[in-house]
């Protein structure tokens, strides 16, 4: 029988683990789906990992790992994918904002031959105005850069084993899971879902962390910002040609003394754009630098007792035998 793995990244979610494990185990047993739950505690400062261990001790279908520090949700997802053994893998948040009721539907679509099942948000739940605005801006920028409509996409998706293997084989460190499943292609189906209210704890994303996420994903997925520098350069070149003609004409007519305002403005504007361009280029160099260093995406410090093999401290777990 086919095995379904569910990856659940968790950062300071001690209140959610036991409940989520119970809800998912109940639902999957009810639908007669053979499953495993893989919780990844992303360097949590609370009892998240001991909650995972407790759940794993009670239910052998649950396993998990703890990072040595906070590496971010992306790293959590990839560590989880690495630890899965299932024929299909679902990635979802462990705060149950991604409704588990959709899982049987995803599973059915997979059985019918879908290789990727994208969870698509029907609406964005009840969120604060600031969060809604920053998330809106984030998706607007992302969709532009990735050239795919990302506004409704989420990290809630099912991937076939071969898609998981493709993603795990990617050598890059700055990954963007959400867009990578689009990028990989494969036979894709979608499932609509309503974003649920968070039951316990609060959202881990602040405005700035979201903006940082946007910038880092934008640069890891697109070179458009770099081309923007060229475009700005061309615009300035045209503008300067016009100004040059004007200046020269004024000089010939002997009225060239005025124009300090223009000079000051030009210095400011050109200086500003130069710095901005350098910043953009610098960002890409930083990206290259990070990739070249080749540091691991994450470091695992602890695993639950039911995981054997050399996983601790390893970046890429050698495939763990069951
Ligand atoms: N998360 C994580 N590492 C982080 C931040 C968040 O693993 O650094 C997890 C978090 O525990 C949750 C999921 O990512 O399972 C989504 O986070 P959250 O619910 O805070 O985001 P939101 O639902 O508000 O977008
Ligand atoms: Mg959430």
């Amino acid at each position: 029988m086919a095995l379904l793995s569910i990856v659940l990244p968790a950062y300071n979610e001690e209140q959610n683990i036991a409940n989520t494990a119970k809800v998912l185990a109940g639902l999957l047993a009810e639908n007669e789906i053979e499953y495993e739950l893989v919780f990844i505690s992303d360097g949590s400062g609370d009892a998240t990992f001991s909650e995972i261990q407790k759940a794993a001790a009670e239910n052998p279908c649950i396993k998990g790992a703890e990072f040595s520090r906070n590496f971010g949700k992306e790293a959590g997802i990839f560590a989880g994918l690495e630890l899965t053994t299932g024929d299909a893998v679902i990635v979802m948040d462990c705060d149950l904002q991604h409704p588990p009721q959709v899982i049987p539907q995803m599973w059915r679509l997979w059985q019918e031959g879908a290789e990727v099942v994208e969870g698509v948000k029907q609406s964005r739940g009840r969120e604060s105005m600031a969060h809604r605005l920053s998330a809106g801006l984030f998706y607007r920028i992302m969709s532009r850069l990735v050239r795919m409509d990302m506004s409704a996409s989420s990290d809630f998706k099912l991937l076939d084993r071969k898609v998981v293997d493709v993603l795990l084989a990617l050598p890059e460190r700055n990954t963007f899971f959400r867009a990578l499943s689009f990028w990989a292609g494969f036979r894709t189906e979608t499932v609509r879902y309503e974003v649920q209210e968070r039951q316990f704890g609060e959202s881990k994303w602040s405005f700035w962390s979201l903006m940082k996420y946007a910038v880092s994903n934008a640069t890891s997925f697109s070179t458009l910002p770099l081309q923007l520098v060229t475009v700005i350069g061309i615009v300035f070149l045209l503008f300067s040609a016009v100004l040059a003609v004007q200046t020269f004409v004024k000089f010939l007519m002997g009225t060239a003394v005025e124009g300090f305002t223009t000079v000051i403005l030009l210095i400011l504007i050109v200086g500003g754009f130069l710095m901005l361009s350098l910043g953009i280029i610098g960002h890409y160099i930083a990206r290259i630098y990070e990739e070249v260093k080749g540091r691991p995406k994450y470091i695992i410090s602890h695993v639950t007792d039911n995981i054997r093999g050399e996983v601790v401290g390893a970046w890429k777990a050698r495939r763990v035998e069951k």
Side-chain angles (χ1 to χ4, degrees), residues 32-193:
E32 289 170 356
I33 300 173
E34 210 184 313
Y35 69 94
E36 70 175 352
L37 306 182
V38 182
F39 286 94
I40 304 293
S41 170
D42 186 7
S44 304
D46 62 2
T48 303
F49 188 62
S50 56
E51 284 293 326
I52 295 171
Q53 273 176 317
K54 229 188 286 171
E58 280 167 23
N59 183 347
C61 299
I62 296 176
K63 56 187 183 179
E66 163 86 295
F67 285 171
S68 58
R69 64 168 170 86
N70 184 257
F71 279 91
K73 188 182 175 187
E74 284 292 312
I77 293 174
F78 275 83
L81 291 179
E82 193 84 54
L83 287 174
T84 56
T85 52
D87 305 290
V89 179
I90 288 180
V91 174
M92 67 188 288
D93 287 358
C94 78
D95 53 9
L96 291 186
Q97 280 191 288
H98 295 153
Q101 299 84 291
V102 181
I103 292 174
Q105 204 181 333
M106 287 181 149
W107 179 249
R108 243 187 332 273
L109 284 168
W110 175 75
Q111 282 178 322
E112 284 161 15
E115 290 158 319
V116 176
V117 183
E118 297 279 345
V120 175
K121 285 178 219 154
Q122 195 98 281
S123 66
R124 294 194 56 91
R126 209 148 27 88
E127 290 167 334
S128 75
M129 194 62 192
H131 191 275
R132 195 183 293 261
L133 278 180
S134 50
L137 187 64
F138 169 76
Y139 288 115
R140 191 92 47 78
I141 296 173
M142 277 322 298
S143 307
R144 260 292 155 71
L145 294 179
V146 183
R147 294 206 200 91
M148 292 177 265
D149 183 17
M150 307 274 306
S151 60
S153 78
S154 67
D155 286 337
F156 188 22
K157 44 186 115 214
L158 177 144
L159 306 175
D160 185 83
R161 168 55 47 190
K162 56 183 163 219
V163 186
V164 172
D165 287 342
V166 165
L167 296 192
L168 287 177
L170 293 177
E172 66 201 68
R173 269 135 203 105
N174 287 298
T175 49
F176 184 31
F177 178 67
R178 195 168 300 186
L180 278 175
S181 69
F182 283 96
W183 171 85
F186 290 99
R187 222 186 110 187
T188 306
E189 299 285 344
T190 54
V191 166
R192 301 201 152 267
Y193 72 92

